[in-house]
Every structure is written in C-alpha cells, then in structure tokens.
Amino acid sequence: MKLDASKTALLIVDMQKYQAGEGGNLPRFFREIYGTAAEEGAVKKGKEIIRVIRRLLAAFREAGARVVYLAFGSLTDDGSDLVPYARLWNRVSRKKTGLPAIVPVSDPGYAIMEEIAPRPGEPFINKTAQGAFGASSVDHVLKQMGAETLVVTGMYTNHCVISTCIGAADAGYRVLIPADAVGTWNEKLHEQALEVMRSWIIRSTSSEVIRNLKEKTR
Amino acid sequence: MKLDASKTALLIVDMQKYQAGEGGNLPRFFREIYGTAAEEGAVKKGKEIIRVIRRLLAAFREAGARVVYLAFGSLTDDGSDLVPYARLWNRVSRKKTGLPAIVPVSDPGYAIMEEIAPRPGEPFINKTAQGAFGASSVDHVLKQMGAETLVVTGMYTNHCVISTCIGAADAGYRVLIPADAVGTWNEKLHEQALEVMRSWIIRSTSSEVIRNLKEKTR
Amino acid sequence: MKLDASKTALLIVDMQKYQAGEGGNLPRFFREIYGTAAEEGAVKKGKEIIRVIRRLLAAFREAGARVVYLAFGSLTDDGSDLVPYARLWNRVSRKKTGLPAIVPVSDPGYAIMEEIAPRPGEPFINKTAQGAFGASSVDHVLKQMGAETLVVTGMYTNHCVISTCIGAADAGYRVLIPADAVGTWNEKLHEQALEVMRSWIIRSTSSEVIRNLKEKTR
Amino acid sequence: MKLDASKTALLIVDMQKYQAGEGGNLPRFFREIYGTAAEEGAVKKGKEIIRVIRRLLAAFREAGARVVYLAFGSLTDDGSDLVPYARLWNRVSRKKTGLPAIVPVSDPGYAIMEEIAPRPGEPFINKTAQGAFGASSVDHVLKQMGAETLVVTGMYTNHCVISTCIGAADAGYRVLIPADAVGTWNEKLHEQALEVMRSWIIRSTSSEVIRNLKEKTR
C-alpha cells in the first residue's frame, strides 16, 4: 500500500466549528434527537480526530501531497439551496434549538476548527449535501490535480464520510480510510458504517498512512 | 406519506440474472469470499425480493407511475470501463471461479430476471459502478421526467442499493426504501445498511408504498 | 501532436440512421425548418463523413486505441426523458412531418449507420441531450479507461459535436477535431462552430490524426 | 415568455475584475494574442454590460427572483486544479505578460466588479473551467432552489457564456440570453456564438426580460 505523494490527496470532511466544536449547532441538534450522550460523544470524538488529522496534515504537507478541505453549508441565508433532507433537519433543529442544523456560509460556525485550519493555496470546497461527489466540484478539482488515491478523514463516519467515500470510490478513486481519523457520536454507528464499506474501501490507520507516504517520497 | 404517481418513480437496482439468479456469477463469488451461506442467502433473498417487486411493478404500472431499471455491467468485454474496485473484484473472481464478478453487457447473465423484466418504453440504464448517480445517466433521465420521489428496490442493500440511495438523496430526491423489497446475503448486513441511512431516507414497506400510491391516484 | 494509442479514444457522435441517413427524421425536420438545401446538405455531408470515419475507425482499431459510440435517443417511447429543447423539437417535428426529431431507442432509425457500425466490445452510450458530458455516462467510462485525448467525429458540428466538445474540454480532456470528420447541413454553420471553439480545442484533419496515431504505436 | 420569479434565476458569468476590468489579466492576455483592439473591445464591452446587468439585478432583486454569481478561478495558487486548456492559457500568458490568464481565488482581481457585487445571501460559486455545469456545483444549487429558467449574462459570449449555456440547456433548464447583457471583445465572435446556440436557447433583450419578469410578479 505505497502512497505516491504526487497522486494522493488528503480529504478533510466537514471539520467545521458548528459540526465538531463544543456548543456547535450539530452536536446540539444530536442532543435533541439522540440524547445527551450523542452530543458529548460527538464533541469528544471531534477533539480526538483533530489530533490525528494534525499529524496527517503535517505528513502530507511535508511530502508535498495535496490537502483538500470540504465543508457543508448553504450558499443562501435561508438554506434553500440545500438538499431536501438537510432542509428537513434544519426545520426540526430550529424548532428544538432555535438554530439550523446546517449553517449558511456566512455563519461564524462555518469555519474549519482552528487547530487544523487550511493554509493559503489549499483548496476549500463547499458542498450542499452530505456527499462531496454529488454536491460539489471536488471530483473536477481532484481529477485535474491528478489525484488517484484519497485518504478520507473527518466527521461523521455514518453521514458525510460514508457518503463522500462511496462517491469517491464510484468516481474511480482508490479510497483509504484511517479509522482513527474519522468518527461519529457513537462507536457502534462508526463501526457499522465502516463495515458497510468494507468491499470497496481500504481500512487503515493514520500511522500506517503516514509511514507509507513517507517511505514513498524519500 | 402520499405518493403522487406523476412524480414518483420505482427504481429497480441490479435485479440481473448474474446477481440474483441461482448459479449467477455474483452469488458464486460471494461463496468463495464469504462462504456457502452467503451464496445461499443471496439466491434465497433474490427469490423473495422478486415476488415483492412484482407487486410493486403491478401497482406502479397500473397507476401510470414511472419504472426505471438499473443494471451493473461493463460496456467493454474486458471490463476496463469499470471502476477500480470492480476490476479488483473481477480479478479475484476470475481466479477463484473462472468468471468475472461483474459481467459485460454481452453476457447472458446481464439480463434482468424474467419474472420482473422491463416492458417496452421503460428506461433501462447501465451503470459502471455501484451507485447509479455517480456512474450512469439516471439523474438526468429522472429529472427530465419530473420524478421527485424514488422508491428504491433490488440488491444488494449494502452495496448497490445504499450507494444508489445516498446518491439519490444527495441529488435532491425524496428516497423511500420498502425494506422487504431490498436485501442482501445476510440479515445483519441488510439491517446495518438501512441503519446507516436512517437520517436521510424513509424506511417503509412494499404494502405501505402500494397503499399510498393507490390512494393518491384515485 | 503525438497520439498515444493507449490514452486516446475516438468518439463517434450520433452517426445514427435517423440523423445521417437519407430520409432520416432529422434531415426531414431540417427541411421543414431550414429548407430543402438543409436536408440535402445534411444527407450529403453524412455520406462524406462516413468515409472519413471508416478510415479513422480502421486506424484506431489497428492501433488498439479505444472507440466509443454515442447516440441521441429517448429511453421512453414518448420522449419524456429528453431535455426540454428536444421535446420542443419533437412537438414541432411531429406537427410538420408526423415524426419525432429525436427518436426513441426502439426506433429502427436509432441504429448507427451500417458502414461504421460498432463491433462487439466497443462501448455504445446513449445520451438524452446534445452534449454527451452533461447527459450520459461517457465521462465515467472514458476516465476509467484512462482516455486523456479525445478525437471527436460525427454530426452535427453546430449541435451535438460542439456541445460534446465543450463538455469534454471542461471535463479535462485534450480534444482534437478532425474538421473533415465532423459536419453539418451548411458550411458556414460548420465553420462558425469550429471558430467558436478555437481557443480550447485542437483543429486537425483525419489524415493528420491517422499519421500521428500510427507513428506513436510503432 | 412569462417569467415566474419563483422559478427564474439570473446567472452572472465571470464579471470579475481580472476578466472585465481595465488592466485585467484577461484583457491583457487578449492583447498579446489577438491585438490591441481585442483588449480595448473587451474592456469597453465590460463597461456596457455592467450597466445592463445592474438593471437586471435591480429587477430580479425587487421581484424576489434568484441571483447566482459564477466566477472562474483556481483554488490552488499554482493553477493545478484548472482544466488543461486553462493551464495552457496560463503558461502562454505568464510568458507574454508575466501574469496568469485565469487567476487564483486569492488574487485581488478575482472579485466581482464593484458596481454589480453580490449581496449577502446571494450564492457565489467558483468554477475551474469555462462551463459552470461541468466544473462547479451550480446545477445542484439551482435544482434545489427550484430554478427552471435561467437568464444568462456576463462575459465572454464565445467562451464561458456559450459553455455555460450549453451545459444549462443540456441539464434541462430553459435558457434565455438577453443579447445586450453578454458580450465579447469583437461583435462578430459574439454574433457567431449566439448563432450557434439558436436552436436551443431563447435570444432576448434585457428590457424584454425585465418587462416579463415584472408582469409576472404583479
């Protein structure tokens, strides 16, 4: 599983403040729907993943490999450009918390968590649904850059991560998931999502990815 | 959950002889990879689902609602137009069974199971990966026809069905899955895949779909 | 302008009986809209192009390069899956000639002209609009096959050819047009369409393409 | 040709400083390739179009109809995410003017011309090729917002405008072009591009569009 740095990209899925941060809209929405443990699980997992993604980021940047950020948000203030299921989440969330589940790009919570913020020149791409391949221009960008293997990280394994991984594999990429670099509010759901994908993605760990990327670029 | 027959389409995913039929390439491949129970489970489930889809087909045709068939196959004889993971399956399958896991369109096993074969004028669309939305023209066809709600049926819940359902939801359709009209070789995997999708699809049953479609068109 | 046979595909656009053949639905429609000269021009140009494409086909097949056929047609009998402008053409055409301008796949005129018919194993892809990249799975198929350069041929320069070439260039392919292998009912329209594309396609001739393909594969 | 404000969107194509402004990278590139008249023609046409688009913007905003901005730029600093033909333009442009033809999103010239700048809540979408439908998420956004008719404006008629209009028509939208709201460096090229599209777009004027939009929303 050698990783050629010139053909491998690190995808960072939705590591936005409103998704992964304490008090974020999405963890608060999960509390209302799935209970307090879901909110706490989401925030705790966010903190863990950030540490793992930092190490991956350092390795990819040092190797000169691509880093691409994805974010989930609406381009309009009223969320009318989001897919129907996300508009439904927003209606429910507004009723229960007063806030939308998926924020507009103008919301302060839309930004990427500071510890792993994008650097100038690293593509940052918005999507208006869970899966990046059906609802953003990421496939176009990755194909032009010559990416053939994608290392997918971020949140949530059973939502935007699985949707993006299925789209990536169907678009013809080799998809690696370092299991410690993705997560969700509950271990069982995390494992189920990985289990569903086992026939068309490669499950790995961040350490293994870093080791293989480093070896390759020497 | 009323279903307006003019805006609802029945999607039939990969109910092809080589996928769902006794002795088909794919059940034989599952036997080699997952054991005899997987092959038997797949064929048994195929038979059950065919009966359910027949009832749905009758209701949709009577109501004048759309029926769209999807099939998984390669347009070339050597499978070189398939996504990498399917080419990998084919290499493994050829070694173990002498046959590809995913067949070319010229293979007799490519045809839809006879009991639920398409009628003239019903769109039949090939895809070169699991998910129809990333690897076929189905979104274009459904959008032109004015479909807004999709009732997804077929095999396998944890492969082409989940991939197609995620793509459909991300493309903006309301997605209903009659749980008895989809299946896989193993109940646990079937339930896991449905569980992963619970936040963005509507789980239903074939009877409920038929009842709601009928009510609407009266 | 060397052409690596392993990364170059010949695209044959809409060389179907109803489009390029004598008495075909589309030339008849052109007569009603643009006059007798348009019908005669279309049929005459069809015959010329077929001879050119035959030579290209022989060269590509001998070199082991890819050949991909595109066809324009509706998957439904009533044309309801076609884009709005094509449905409008069909309404006008039915009024004036009794026949649709764009036929369903079940129509005998849908077939490729016999002199340049596809061989088994050569991908044949339907599209439900003029441009193949917006309305078919051709991009998916070409990307998996590793095609990087497309040689585009067929009819009509100012309709499906320009639409497909713009889509191809925007999808990241290098696009070559042998000007004698594409055409329309009127030289001025043909030249205008080529002129519009001059900044993002490479204009060539069939002889030059054949020469460069041959040199490469020796 | 009534325009229902709830289903009609105004598309503003690439009215960025580096494309339409005096001293912009693209007019400077045109000077090197096509001569001084091309640069002057481009800048003059930019000024004319801005006045027309201002009127259209006022009408669309007053009617509560959608306004969507498109911009052409690279998400990376080195332009490696652009399609091959744009990278070629950049190489030639850098040699001749020291500047890229198509700028990165971080370049000050990337911004929309101030007279017609977007307001908060109006979608702003980047594309990495000429045509928005092949190289951005605009189709996804417009479909979710319920847009069925697009009024396309901006620059340049024979480049990004025609590419975007063909993609829009092939994606199933009704496409109106107010001929005075689009333009290029040379009237002949402008007319040729409109002529090529005559069978699948509706040619109109800004006054006619405003009149029909107003009537509808009264």
Side-chain angles (χ1 to χ4, degrees), chain B residues 15-18 20-22 46 50 111-118:
Chain B
M15 292 302 292
Q16 300 163 269
K17 294 179 182 175
Y18 87 93
E22 207 149 358
I50 284 170
I112 301 293
M113 296 294 286
E114 274 161 33
E115 300 92 324
I116 52 172

Side-chain angles (χ1 to χ4, degrees), chain A residues 29 72 74 78-93 101-102 128-130 135, chain B residues 139 143 147-150 165-175 199-202, chain D residues 139-146:
Chain A
F29 178 52
F72 193 173
S74 58
D78 63 0
S80 58
D81 55 318
L82 297 175
V83 280
Y85 65 77
R87 295 204 298 268
L88 173 62
W89 296 348
N90 277 2
R91 278 196 300 277
V92 176
S93 183
I102 306 300
T128 39
Q130 294 191 125
Chain B
D139 186 38
K143 289 263 165 66
E148 297 180 358
T149 298
L150 305 182
C165 287
I166 283 179
D170 279 357
Y173 299 92
R174 184 167 68 140
V175 181
S199 303
W200 64 88
I201 60 114
I202 301 166
Chain D
D139 187 38
H140 194 263
V141 167
L142 291 168
K143 290 262 165 65
Q144 307 316 312
M145 300 192 317

